[in-house]
Amino acid sequence: MSAPVRTAPPPSSPAPPVPGPARARRLVRWAAPAAGVVAVVALYAVFHGTAVLPHDDDAVLFHWLNDARDWVDANRNSSPIFLYVVNYIRLGVAELYTLVQGGLVALGWPGLIGLAAGLGWLAGGWRIALVAAAGLAGVGVLGFWEASVDTLALTLSAVALSLLIGIPLGIWAGRSARVRRIVTPVLDVMQIMPTFSYLSPILLVFLIGPASATIATMIYAMPPAIRITALAVQRVPGVTVEASESLGATGRQTLLKVRLPLALNTIMLGVNQTIAAALSMVPLVALIAAPGLGVDLIRALARVNVGAALVPGVAIVLIAIVLDRVTRSAARRREGGSRARAVRWGGLAVLTALGITLTQALAPEFPERWQVQVVRPINDVVDWIEAHWYVFTGFLNDTVAYGLLNPLQDVLTSAPWWLVTAAVLGFAWRVSGPAAGLVAAACLAGVAALHLWEHGMETLTIVLVASLITIAVGLALGVAAGRSRWFAAGLRPVLDAAQTMPSFSYLLPAVALFGNGRFTAIVASLIYAVPVVARLVEDGLRAVPATVIEAARSAGSTDRQVLWKVQLPMARNSLLLAANQGIVMTLAMVVIGALVGAGALGYDVVAGIAQQEDYGKGFAAGVALVLLGVMLDRITQGAHGRRSPHKKRNE
Amino acid sequence: MKKLRLIAGVLALGLAVTACGGAKVEDDSNAAPSAAGSAAASAAGTVKIAVNPWVGYEADAAVLAYLMEHELGNKVEKVTLAEEPSWQGMESGDVDVVIENWGHEDLKKKYIEEKKVAVEAGSTGNKGVIGWYVPEWMAQKYPDITDYKNLNKYADLFKTSESGGKGQLLDGDPSYVTNDEALVKNLKLDYKVVYAGSEAALIKAAKQATDQKKPLLMYFYEPQWLFNQVKLVKINLPAWEEGCDSDPKKVACDYPPYDLDKIVSKKFADTGGKAYDLVKNFQWTNDDQNAVADDMTNNGMSAEDAAKKWVEANTAKWQAWIAK
C-alpha cells in the first residue's frame, strides 16, 4: 500500500554541489527505501492474485459471534452478570437521563433559556449570558426546541457520567506514573476508534434506547476528561505541594485544598472538550434509538433532504457554541472580591427566576409564529445545483472512481496479504520507527484474522485517496493562510464553522451533488478533515521564527525557496501531525459514509446493527476498523511522539 | 479499606432498594418517562410507535398517531429505528408498536414464541411486493430483459463506477428485507449488489433512469407512491414456493407475497386499552397508504397534516377502527 506514497520524488537537491562522501551518504540513505519499493513492486508482479483473502460472509468467526450474541440474548434476564450488574447500570443510566430530561422539560423554554443565561452570567458576565440566551432561543426559532432538549439532556447526562468517572481516574493518573503508563495507550486507542465501532458491543450489552446511547456517548467523551485532568494535576508546581506537606497537611488535604483548586481551571477545559466530544456522538446514537436532533438528521439523510439535515445540524452547532462559551469562560479565573461574587450569583438567581416566572405565563411549547422555515429555500438551491451541475459532478465522480479508487483497490485486493503487511511494516518502520512498524503490521494481520481482509482493503483504498486529497487541499490552504494574514482572516470563520458542524451534516450536500457512492464519502471527509489539517499547517508555519526567515531572505532566497527549504522543513512536526490527524479523521468519516453507499467495513457495521444474521460480521468489522485506525495512526505518528489532548480532533 | 466498606454498603443498599431480585431488561419501561398505560386500561398513556425508514411505513404511523392523539387522547412517541432493532425495542421497553411488518418469520419465532415479549396484531390490509425492477423504456427496448436468465447478457449496460466491473443491482437501506446478495450468487448472475443507503436514493435513481434514459436495475417494493409517477417493470425471478427461501444463504427464488401485518409488545397488548384496539383494528388499502405517503413526500405536507387530510376525508373507515 505504501508504494504510491513512497515513490514520490525525494526533495530534489539541485543547488549546492555536494562533496563526494556526503553524496554517497545521501545515496545510501535513499537506496534502502528505493530497494524496498522495487522489491515490493517485483513481488507484486510475481505473486499478485495469490494469497488473496476474498470476502466470505460465512466465516466461522462470524457464526461464533452470532452464537455469542444469541447466548447473551437468551440469558439477559437470568445470568447473574446481567441481573446484578449490567441491567442495573442500564436502569440507573435510564433513570438519570429521565431525571435530567424531565428537569429540563419542567423548566419550560423560558425557564431553560433563563437558566442558561444565568449560568452564562455567572461564568463570564453579560456577554456570555447573551450568547447563551441567543443560542438557545435560536434553536427554538429553527423549530427544533423539543428535539434539542432531548439532545441536551443526553449530552449533559453523558458528560456528567464521564466526569464522574474521568476526573478521579485523571487525578489518579496524574499522581501515579504507573497508572499513567497503563491509561495512556488505552486512551490513544479510544480516541482513534471510529465512533461506529462503539455501537455493536453497546447494543449487545445494553440493548437499544436512551440508556445505551448515554453510555456510548459517555465512553466516547471520557478520554479528554481523563487526559486533561491528569495533565492539570501533574502541572501543579511541586514547590506548592511540598510547602503544603511540610506544613503537616495530609495527602487528602493536599489533594483537596492545594492540587485540585490549582488544577481547576485546566480541568474546566477538560469539561469543555468532553462536551464537544459528547455532542459529536449525537447523530450516531440516533441509530440505536436515542431521541434528539440526531433522529432528524438520520431521517433527512434517508430522505436525501439537504435542507432538513442542515437545520438540525445548525441546531447542534448552536448548542455546542453555548456549552463551549459557558464552560470556556468558567475555566478562566475570575478576579474580584466578595462583592463581585455576589453580583455573579445574584445574576444567576435573577435570570433563572425571571425565566421560570415567564414559564408560568407563556405557552409550554416554543411559539410556532416565532419559528422560521428555511428548509425550502435551501432545497431550492440544492435542486438548482443538482439540475445544472450534473455533468460536472458526474465527471468528477467518475474521474476519481476510475482514475484513483478502482486501480488502487484492484492492487490492494489482488496483492498477497503478506506482501501488503510487509510493505506496511517497512514503510511504518522507516517513517515512525520499529515499534510503530510492528504494531501497524500486527494490526493489519489482525484484520486478516478477522476474515475481513477484502473489505478492509476497500476501506483502506477510500481512506488513502481521501487522505491524499485532504492533505493536499489542507496543505495548500494552510500554506496560503500561513503566508497571508488577509487570507487567514478570511479563512478562519469558514474553518470554524466547518469544524463545529456534526460530521453527519456533511454527508447530505455531498450526496445531493454526487449521488451515493464512495466519492460522496470522500467529499464529506474532505469538508470534515481539511479545516483541522489547514489549521495545523498554518500554526506550524507561523511557529517558524521570523529571524530564520529573515536570514534566509538576506541570503538571497526567493519566496518559493523560503517556503520549500526553510518553512516547510522546519514545520515538519506540525505537518506530520496534520497528516496524522487528517488520516484518522478521514477514516472516521469514510466509515460513516457507509450510510450513503460507500460500502466496505462501514457498511458491515451498519448492516450488523440492522440485520440479525449480520451481527457477527458487523461486530468483527467494528474491531477491524479500530485496528485500521491504530495502524494508520502508528504509521503517521512519525517524530512528533505522544499527542497532547489539545490536539484531539474535535467536531 | 474504609472506601471498600463504603462501596459494599452502597451496593447492598442498591440491591435492597430494588428488592434483591436482580433487574430484568423490561423493568426499565417503568423508569422511562412514559410507561405504556401501565395503570388501568382506561388511562390514555404514551404509545411508542417505531418508525421504520420508508415513507409507506411513515404514512401508517402518521395516521395512527393522529388518531391516537386526537381521538383517544394518547401521547405518541415516534421512535425512529430500523426493522430488526424495533423488535429488540419491544423487549427493552422502547417500542410498543411496529405498524408495518414485512414477514420476519425468524423474529416472530424469537420474540413472540420464545421470549414472549411481542404479539401479532393482525394484517394492515396492505399487500407487499418485493422485487427487481427496470425502467419501462428498458423493457421496451430490450423485451427479453424481464427474464432473469437474460440479465447476464445485459450486465454491461448496468456497469457503474461502484460495481467493480460487473452489472450493478442497486439496493436500498442496508436494514431492508433483502435476499439480493444470495440471489445474485445462487442464480449465477454477473452482478454486484450496491447499497444506495435509503429509499429516497432508490427513488432518485429511478427518476433519473427514466428522465435521462440511464440503465438501472434496482430492488424496489410495493406499496410505493412512485409507481403512480414513474413506470417500472418487474423482473421475473424463479417463482416463489413455500419454503424455497427458508435458508437465507441458499435462496434462489423470488420474494414471497407479503401480507403486511402489525406487531405490538406484550405489555402494550395487555395494558394498551383503546389504543391497542385501534392498532388491532387498523386496516386500509395500498391506495390509502400511497395517498398519505404521496402528500408527505411530494406535496410538502408534514406527517401530521397528511394524516389529518386523510382522516378528514375517510371518516367512515377510521371510525370503524375505534372501539366503542
Side-chain angles (χ1 to χ4, degrees):
Chain A
M1 57 138 284
S2 47
V5 187
R6 231 16 260 180
T7 45
S12 54
S13 46
V18 185
R23 184 184 296 184
R25 226 178 302 135
R26 182 170 297 174
L27 216 64
V28 169
R29 199 148 55 91
W30 286 104
V37 171
V38 170
V40 168
V41 172
L43 284 171
Y44 174 73
V46 176
F47 289 104
H48 75 98
T50 67
V52 293
L53 305 169
H55 182 71
D56 175 17
D57 264 336
D58 250 345
V60 182
L61 176 75
F62 303 162
H63 284 289
W64 186 82
L65 284 168
N66 273 346
D67 291 346
R69 189 265 327 266
D70 288 343
W71 183 87
V72 169
D73 255 359
N75 292 282
R76 199 180 292 288
N77 286 330
S78 50
S79 156
I81 297 181
F82 277 91
L83 279 181
Y84 295 108
V85 183
V86 173
N87 294 349
Y88 274 121
I89 296 177
R90 184 173 148 58
L91 227 73
V93 175
E95 193 76 54
L96 173 71
Y97 169 77
T98 309
L99 210 70
V100 175
Q101 201 256 4
L104 293 184
V105 170
L107 276 175
W109 64 268
L112 189 52
I113 293 179
L115 178 64
L119 288 173
W121 175 274
L122 179 67
W126 66 271
R127 263 175 234 264
I128 304 296
L130 204 63
V131 168
L136 286 192
V139 166
V141 169
L142 289 172
F144 282 95
W145 182 261
E146 275 173 48
S148 300
V149 169
D150 288 348
T151 287
L152 198 59
L154 192 84
T155 309
L156 292 181
S157 318
V159 168
L161 289 173
S162 297
L163 298 179
L164 203 68
I165 303 173
I167 290 186
L169 255 180
I171 293 175
W172 197 20
R175 301 185 59 192
S176 149
R178 193 182 329 147
V179 175
R180 205 152 54 234
R181 266 199 302 279
I182 299 168
V183 166
T184 306
V186 176
L187 294 184
D188 274 344
V189 172
M190 280 173 85
Q191 293 195 298
I192 298 162
M193 265 167 91
T195 42
F196 254 37
S197 341
Y198 289 88
L199 295 186
S200 295
I202 292 279
L203 210 56
L204 176 67
V205 179
F206 296 107
L207 291 172
I208 57 169
S212 343
T214 309
I215 294 170
T217 309
M218 170 194 91
I219 298 176
Y220 183 70
M222 210 177 343
I226 301 178
R227 258 186 218 276
I228 297 180
T229 307
L231 201 70
V233 171
Q234 261 173 278
R235 274 191 190 159
V236 170
V239 190
T240 324
V241 175
E242 260 164 50
S244 149
E245 275 163 0
S246 70
L247 285 175
T250 63
R252 186 190 167 79
Q253 281 170 334
T254 310
L255 178 68
L256 290 179
K257 304 270 168 174
V258 179
R259 283 183 197 265
L260 283 187
L262 282 173
L264 199 60
N265 284 348
T266 318
I267 292 177
M268 273 317 280
L269 270 185
V271 175
N272 180 288
Q273 297 263 313
T274 305
I275 290 174
L279 274 171
S280 72
M281 276 296 268
V282 164
L284 209 58
V285 291
L287 290 175
I288 52 173
L293 291 162
V295 174
D296 298 287
L297 268 179
I298 297 273
R299 194 178 301 155
L301 202 61
R303 292 204 181 140
V304 195
N305 186 335
V306 179
L310 223 52
V311 181
V314 171
I316 294 179
V317 173
L318 288 176
I319 294 179
I321 291 176
V322 170
L323 294 177
D324 176 74
R325 293 300 127 87
V326 173
T327 46
R328 200 177 282 266
S329 38
R332 253 174 246 135
R333 193 174 295 276
R334 303 220 70 78
E335 305 298 333
S338 59
R339 179 127 174 245
R341 197 179 309 150
V343 169
R344 287 206 293 276
W345 286 98
L348 169 67
V350 168
L351 285 168
T352 312
L354 188 69
I356 291 175
T357 321
L358 280 173
T359 300
Q360 317 280 336
L362 293 169
E365 276 162 27
F366 200 86
E368 209 160 311
R369 66 194 140 85
W370 290 357
Q371 299 175 9
V372 291
Q373 296 300 327
V374 289
V375 173
R376 203 168 270 267
I378 294 176
N379 281 344
D380 288 343
V381 174
V382 172
D383 285 344
W384 184 86
I385 293 177
E386 228 173 281
H388 291 80
W389 290 13
Y390 183 77
V391 179
F392 172 67
T393 54
F395 168 77
L396 257 184
N397 178 53
D398 286 356
T399 310
V400 172
Y402 288 114
L404 286 170
L405 287 170
N406 288 352
L408 183 57
Q409 184 171 319
D410 284 347
V411 170
L412 285 179
T413 50
S414 69
W417 67 270
W418 50 264
L419 182 60
V420 179
T421 311
V424 164
L425 174 68
F427 182 64
W429 192 311
R430 163 113 188 132
V431 176
S432 307
L438 288 174
V439 172
C443 287
L444 207 52
V447 174
L450 287 167
H451 298 274
L452 285 164
W453 181 262
E454 188 177 326
H455 288 189
M457 289 302 110
E458 288 171 12
T459 297
L460 196 58
T461 305
I462 313 177
V463 172
L464 287 181
V465 171
S467 308
L468 213 67
I469 305 178
T470 301
I471 291 172
V473 175
L475 202 62
L477 287 178
V479 166
R483 296 172 55 141
S484 150
R485 296 248 167 219
W486 290 106
F487 188 77
L491 193 65
R492 197 161 284 273
V494 180
L495 296 189
D496 272 339
Q499 239 178 313
T500 33
M501 285 287 272
S503 47
F504 268 56
S505 314
Y506 299 135
L507 285 179
L508 250 275
V511 169
L513 287 177
F514 299 104
N516 294 73
R518 292 167 295 172
F519 187 61
T520 300
I522 292 181
V523 173
S525 63
L526 207 66
I527 315 177
Y528 176 55
V530 159
V532 174
V533 175
R535 186 156 294 173
L536 286 170
V537 171
E538 185 196 337
D539 289 350
L541 290 185
R542 287 205 188 287
V544 175
T547 46
V548 177
I549 298 174
E550 219 118 289
R553 270 191 221 288
S554 63
S557 301
T558 62
D559 269 6
R560 177 185 293 263
Q561 282 170 332
V562 169
L563 178 67
W564 286 102
K565 302 273 165 160
V566 179
Q567 284 180 300
L568 287 181
M570 286 194 72
R572 179 167 179 273
N573 276 358
S574 297
L575 298 186
L576 272 174
L577 181 66
N580 175 290
Q581 294 289 289
I583 290 176
V584 170
M585 289 177 69
T586 302
L587 175 69
M589 192 68 212
V590 160
V591 173
I592 294 175
L595 290 175
V596 295
L601 289 179
Y603 167 75
D604 292 335
V605 174
V606 179
I609 299 169
Q611 305 270 11
Q612 292 231 15
E613 68 265 22
D614 287 336
Y615 181 82
K617 186 174 61 169
F619 191 103
V623 180
L625 282 172
V626 177
L627 292 176
L628 275 187
V630 174
M631 180 192 94
L632 290 168
D633 177 66
R634 289 297 117 164
I635 293 178
T636 49
Q637 194 117 57
H640 69 78
R642 213 162 58 84
R643 45 176 68 205
S644 86
H646 297 285
K647 290 164 190 162
K648 161 136 180 49
R649 60 181 190 269
N650 70 60
E651 280 173 71
Chain B
M1 217 37 236
K2 214 157 106 203
K3 233 183 241 168
L4 260 185
R5 242 180 294 151
L6 190 69
I7 292 170
V10 169
L11 271 181
L13 195 70
L15 287 180
V17 165
T18 33
C20 60
K24 298 189 174 175
V25 279
E26 67 263 35
D27 290 359
D28 84 335
S29 55
N30 297 325
S34 46
S38 53
S42 58
T46 299
V47 183
K48 297 172 183 170
I49 304 181
V51 177
N52 292 172
W54 59 92
V55 70
Y57 187 113
E58 287 182 50
D60 286 34
V63 168
L64 212 61
Y66 185 86
L67 290 174
M68 282 179 184
E69 282 177 341
H70 292 89
E71 298 297 325
L72 303 181
N74 293 94
K75 189 172 178 301
V76 174
E77 250 175 60
K78 290 184 179 171
V79 188
T80 303
L81 265 184
E83 289 168 71
E84 303 206 356
S86 305
W87 287 75
Q88 211 187 51
M90 290 192 274
E91 182 184 13
S92 68
D94 291 294
V95 170
D96 293 323
V97 182
V98 169
I99 191 65
E100 185 180 291
N101 172 58
W102 290 67
H104 289 302
E105 296 308 322
D106 53 334
L107 294 175
K108 282 185 177 168
K109 187 158 167 277
K110 181 170 175 183
Y111 288 98
I112 295 179
E113 286 172 31
E114 288 168 11
K115 293 184 168 251
K116 298 189 173 36
V117 293
V119 292
E120 299 191 33
S123 165
T124 66
N126 290 139
K127 300 288 168 236
V129 178
I130 297 180
W132 296 356
Y133 295 82
V134 290
E136 193 184 36
W137 68 265
M138 288 194 87
Q140 286 164 354
K141 194 167 170 192
Y142 315 101
D144 61 345
I145 203 171
T146 54
D147 185 338
Y148 80 92
K149 287 183 195 134
N150 299 320
L151 279 178
N152 278 346
K153 196 165 84 187
Y154 295 109
D156 275 353
L157 284 178
F158 298 106
K159 264 188 202 169
T160 69
S161 65
E162 304 303 302
S163 63
K166 300 175 173 178
Q168 172 178 282
L169 169 58
L170 193 66
D171 260 49
D173 187 309
S175 69
Y176 288 171
V177 173
T178 172
N179 300 327
D180 285 0
E181 292 196 36
L183 279 172
V184 164
K185 194 165 144 203
N186 298 332
L187 297 174
K188 302 194 170 49
L189 298 176
D190 192 19
Y191 282 78
K192 183 180 175 197
V193 179
V194 173
Y195 290 87
S198 64
E199 177 181 63
L202 286 177
I203 292 174
K204 207 164 133 184
K207 284 184 170 169
Q208 279 181 356
T210 303
D211 295 345
Q212 302 167 10
K213 295 244 165 158
K214 284 205 306 197
L216 173 72
L217 175 66
M218 72 170 190
Y219 166 101
F220 213 49
Y221 42 83
E222 280 181 73
Q224 228 305 330
W225 58 264
L226 184 70
F227 286 95
N228 298 332
Q229 281 191 11
V230 173
K231 294 278 177 283
L232 300 170
V233 179
K234 195 163 179 282
I235 303 284
N236 294 312
L237 294 169
W240 177 82
E241 283 167 39
E242 189 72 47
C244 74
D245 54 356
S246 55
D247 183 346
K249 303 276 178 208
K250 293 187 182 139
V251 185
C253 60
D254 206 347
Y255 291 88
Y258 290 95
D259 180 15
L260 305 185
D261 60 347
K262 298 158 285 187
I263 311 291
V264 298
S265 70
K266 182 78 175 52
K267 184 173 265 168
F268 180 67
D270 292 343
T271 62
K274 284 190 170 180
Y276 169 61
D277 290 333
L278 171 62
V279 172
K280 214 171 52 180
N281 296 333
F282 169 81
Q283 238 189 29
W284 63 353
T285 64
N286 285 15
D287 287 338
D288 286 324
Q289 190 194 74
N290 284 339
V292 178
D294 186 38
D295 278 339
M296 285 169 63
T297 319
N298 302 313
N299 300 336
M301 287 193 194
S302 68
E304 191 176 2
D305 291 343
K308 184 170 179 228
K309 183 178 156 192
W310 186 89
V311 164
E312 280 168 1
N314 295 278
T315 320
K317 272 192 189 166
W318 63 261
Q319 276 179 343
W321 303 339
I322 291 187
K324 290 282 145 16

